[in-house]
Amino acid sequence: MGYEKVLRGKIVQDRVFDGEIGINNGKIEKVVEGKNILKSDSIEDYESALIFPGFVDVHVHCFSNPNEGFTTTSRSAAVGGVTTFLDMPYDLPNPVNNVAFFNDKVKRLEEESVVDICLWGTISKTGGLDQIIPLAEAGAVAFKMSTFETDSYRFPRIPDDEILKAMELIQETGLIVAFHAENDEIIVSLIDEYKKENKVYPRAHNETRPPVSETTAVLKLMEFAKWTGVKLHIVHVSHPRTVELIEYFKSTGVQVTCETCYTYLLLDVDDLDKHGPKAKINPPLRHREDVDGLWKHIMEDHIDLISSDHAPWEEEHKVKGNDNIFLAASGMPGLEIIAPLLFSEGVTSGKITPEKFARLMATAPAEKFQIQNKGSIKEGYDADFAIIDPTQSWEIDEKRFNSYSKISPFNGKIVHGKNIASFVRGEKVYDGENVLVDPGFGKFVPGFAYKEENQVRG
């Protein structure tokens, strides 16, 4: 039997083996061990390069900075081997907290993206509970909320009574509810104190968001999840103590998962001193021993997945914090570099195996968020792949980012391992140098509770 396309190389899933993948109609139709087995007029032999399932990034912000958008973000994803990502709902000017905004975003996605995208939903600070079921049926992949107030309209702190009611409704849908978990009262009070004392140096960002501001917020949410039965996910965990608490609640039967971000595994608070606003993220960078503790949890399978928290700000939003760290925007671009950096630091260095890397970056995100046909190299799944050549080394150049944001504390870093090709549904979207498809190739991937009759496009 012939195939439209065949890929050869070292296939990475539960193990690493020399093999071939037969592709028809954008799907994986056959996976075999060995070479010269599958027939096709279009064979791509990647030899010793590693063929990973296309990476899935669950934590991306396309429109927190509206200058970014789907096209630049998705091009960044393609370059980095991220073939599916989940876009957060905290858009400017309007957060995605109702079905009308959601449907408009789906339409825009399918006009502008070059990779596949799932969409998060959220709720307004109060009075938004009636949108939860409709958003789930419209195709939201999950719901995101916060215990910290970034903006009262766009990114609000949800009151506890609303959180409990929301959790009960989300539990009915079977979807995940995720939280930016920081203790608003502790942080706001400390920032006020520091500003009054003119303690506005870069490390003040770390000092005003101590680990207890994360752990106390997470504890509350896990107890809420205990009594509502909802599937809870904690985003951007920055401290090993948080993971320890999550492990305890898991042992009592609470359905809770967590992610950390590449930044918390590769940088520490000294980088905040060194790079200033470039390295400002929420929660903040922690101490070196905390970074080591997170890696230990990674190796012990206590952290479910790794995300980028891609939050692209241009220089003008960062440099305003040069003399006062509290004035700088929080976040940095990450889609283009998360996988190569973590491959270099994790796999090339010997900390983790290629198989564990595949699970953290592709399989687990797709499984935890119930994204059908993504995240694995299995027959019947979408033919999404990221192909990394472990022999290639290269230097990160922030000015070459596809993202609108061209500032990164990783600028100039030498990376060992390069993504040389990305495939989405069997189509090569990146060849190691250029993005090959036009905006509009990417598709909306609806969530688990999607009901087609409730999705109105255009």
Side-chain angles (χ1 to χ4, degrees):
M1 174 182 178
Y3 297 90
E4 293 172 6
K5 187 175 296 180
V6 168
L7 302 189
R8 289 179 184 152
K10 291 189 175 297
I11 298 170
V12 185
Q13 190 60 62
D14 299 327
R15 60 192 180 96
V16 181
F17 61 94
D18 289 314
E20 296 181 331
I21 302 166
I23 300 165
N24 279 328
N25 300 313
K27 297 284 187 180
I28 299 170
E29 197 157 302
K30 194 73 173 177
V31 181
V32 298
E33 191 165 356
K35 289 190 175 182
N36 301 312
I37 298 170
L38 303 182
K39 306 299 181 184
S40 176
D41 292 332
S42 177
I43 296 175
E44 300 201 26
D45 192 342
Y46 288 97
E47 300 175 341
S48 61
L50 297 165
I51 302 177
F52 287 96
F55 303 130
V56 179
D57 191 338
V58 306
H59 198 148
V60 174
H61 296 272
C62 286
F63 293 97
S64 291
N65 177 356
N67 289 327
E68 179 78 341
F70 283 129
T71 299
T72 53
T73 311
S74 63
R75 287 174 62 88
S76 298
V79 171
V82 175
T83 56
T84 305
F85 67 80
L86 282 58
D87 192 50
M88 286 291 175
Y90 298 118
D91 300 354
L92 270 174
N94 296 307
V96 184
N97 58 16
N98 63 59
V99 172
F101 289 157
F102 187 90
N103 288 340
D104 286 345
K105 193 171 182 180
V106 171
K107 183 175 183 293
R108 185 171 181 181
L109 182 167
E110 295 206 321
E111 292 172 350
E112 298 178 4
S113 183
V114 302
V115 302
D116 290 350
I117 302 177
C118 306
L119 296 179
W120 289 82
T122 190
I123 60 173
S124 55
K125 188 175 179 73
T126 57
L129 297 172
D130 63 340
Q131 288 296 303
I132 287 174
I133 301 300
L135 279 166
E137 292 177 344
V141 71
F143 288 87
K144 173 77 177 294
M145 299 178 208
S146 181
T147 60
F148 179 82
E149 186 135 296
T150 300
D151 180 275
S152 60
Y153 172 62
R154 186 181 69 84
F155 202 153
R157 170 189 178 182
I158 307 297
D160 285 355
D161 60 327
E162 292 279 307
I163 289 176
L164 276 169
K165 292 172 185 174
M167 282 184 167
E168 290 169 351
L169 287 168
I170 295 167
Q171 192 277 333
E172 293 178 18
T173 71
L175 298 177
I176 280 174
V177 60
F179 280 85
H180 177 128
E182 289 187 289
N183 188 310
D184 191 275
E185 293 179 6
I186 291 173
I187 293 169
V188 169
S189 175
L190 281 171
I191 289 176
D192 286 345
E193 288 178 21
Y194 269 58
K195 285 180 176 177
K196 287 175 184 175
E197 297 172 13
N198 199 34
K199 295 159 66 174
V200 294
Y201 46 82
R203 190 175 283 248
H205 181 59
N206 165 281
E207 294 169 356
T208 54
R209 299 174 108 98
V212 69
S213 66
E214 179 173 287
T215 57
T216 52
V218 171
L219 277 169
K220 175 182 73 176
L221 294 167
M222 291 192 294
E223 190 66 8
F224 286 177
K226 160 72 177 175
W227 295 106
T228 60
V230 76
K231 296 174 184 174
L232 173 65
H233 182 72
I234 305 299
V235 302
H236 50 47
V237 168
S238 68
H239 198 278
R241 171 67 176 168
T242 306
V243 185
E244 293 168 14
L245 295 170
I246 289 170
E247 282 298 296
Y248 169 73
F249 272 80
K250 278 183 181 177
S251 74
T252 69
V254 174
Q255 297 183 83
V256 55
T257 53
C258 71
E259 70 189 61
T260 192
C261 301
Y262 77 111
T263 43
Y264 302 117
L265 296 169
L266 304 178
L267 300 172
D268 60 41
V269 70
D270 291 341
D271 292 291
L272 189 56
D273 287 332
K274 179 179 179 182
H275 299 287
K278 263 191 179 185
K280 184 186 176 186
I281 55 175
N282 295 338
L285 298 175
R286 302 295 184 189
H287 294 276
R288 174 47 52 181
E289 59 266 30
D290 303 324
V291 175
D292 295 340
L294 288 176
W295 272 110
K296 185 171 186 291
H297 282 302
I298 288 281
M299 289 181 269
E300 294 175 350
D301 297 326
H302 295 161
I303 292 174
D304 296 279
L305 55 102
I306 305 173
S307 69
S308 69
D309 196 1
H310 177 86
W313 297 104
E314 57 268 58
E315 192 170 4
E316 66 186 77
H317 289 92
K318 286 291 191 176
V319 296
K320 63 177 67 175
N322 284 344
D323 297 320
N324 181 343
I325 192 63
F326 298 115
L327 298 179
S330 295
M332 65 180 75
L335 268 172
E336 201 156 329
I337 56 177
I338 175 177
L341 276 170
L342 284 173
F343 183 88
S344 182
E345 181 68 19
V347 180
T348 303
S349 71
K351 284 190 179 78
I352 58 174
T353 64
E355 298 95 319
K356 184 182 284 288
F357 185 73
R359 175 146 195 88
L360 288 164
M361 296 293 294
T363 309
E367 288 179 354
K368 302 300 181 185
F369 284 82
Q370 305 173 90
I371 307 169
Q372 296 184 352
N373 301 320
K374 299 289 188 184
S376 295
I377 300 178
K378 293 181 179 178
E379 292 171 7
Y381 277 57
D382 287 355
D384 297 350
F385 311 105
I387 300 174
I388 292 182
D389 184 348
T391 68
Q392 289 196 35
S393 296
W394 57 286
E395 182 178 338
I396 292 177
D397 179 357
E398 62 188 4
K399 299 307 179 188
R400 297 187 64 189
F401 285 172
N402 282 268
S403 172
Y404 187 80
S405 174
K406 303 189 186 300
I407 46 175
S408 170
F410 296 101
N411 185 49
K413 184 173 179 61
I414 303 300
V415 181
H416 303 290
K418 185 180 189 299
N419 183 56
I420 59 171
S422 302
F423 289 80
V424 176
R425 289 174 275 109
E427 185 77 20
K428 187 189 287 187
V429 298
Y430 174 68
D431 65 0
E433 294 295 331
N434 299 295
V435 176
L436 305 178
V437 296
D438 295 326
F441 176 79
K443 299 297 183 186
F444 168 58
V445 181
F448 175 75
Y450 169 71
K451 292 187 177 179
E452 189 168 3
E453 64 270 21
N454 291 302
Q455 178 65 58
V456 180
R457 302 190 189 183

